[in-house]
Amino acid sequence: MEGDPDEERVRQLTQMREGMSRAELESERAAAMYADYLRRSHEEDLSDIAAMNIIYSPGDDAQGRKIIVVVASHVPASTVDLDRVLLYLIRSMDT
């Protein structure tokens, strides 16, 4: 009988990470965190946040990049879950 495939995968990942620099590990961690936020932003119903009109795009800059304006005064910080606002910002800027 072969060994546990999960233990083998953990061993392989450990060996890979031992060769990585601290900056590479931090970059990998940040990418994983962003991927999680992006996934959550598409799963949650953020229509209440969208109704606040906190983001609009007036057009593109001289290089053709999309301009995003965040109107923070439209966010009632004392009554809104700011984590959900972050999810809405991520969803808006990623599309």
Side-chain angles (χ1 to χ4, degrees):
M1 175 179 250
E2 293 183 20
D4 185 354
D6 291 332
E7 288 178 13
E8 177 63 23
R9 184 66 179 145
V10 167
R11 187 185 62 74
Q12 290 172 352
L13 289 172
T14 302
Q15 287 176 345
M16 279 180 20
R17 287 191 172 162
E18 286 174 354
M20 295 175 79
S21 70
R22 183 176 180 89
E24 289 171 324
L25 289 171
E26 286 298 317
S27 178
E28 183 180 281
R29 184 174 161 262
M33 185 183 296
Y34 179 76
D36 182 55
Y37 274 112
L38 186 60
R39 178 192 52 78
R40 287 177 47 207
S41 76
H42 289 288
E43 290 174 353
E44 289 197 34
D45 176 22
L46 300 171
S47 57
D48 58 324
I49 307 295
M52 293 180 197
N53 295 319
I54 61 172
I55 295 178
Y56 73 94
S57 179
D60 297 336
D61 68 4
Q63 284 79 35
R65 297 172 295 199
K66 187 175 178 182
I67 297 172
I68 301 288
V69 177
V70 178
V71 185
S73 64
H74 289 186
V75 179
S78 61
T79 59
V80 161
D81 180 4
L82 295 178
D83 191 47
R84 295 185 74 239
V85 172
L86 175 62
L87 292 176
Y88 178 71
L89 291 170
I90 289 171
R91 179 195 293 176
S92 299
M93 288 192 264
D94 197 70
T95 56

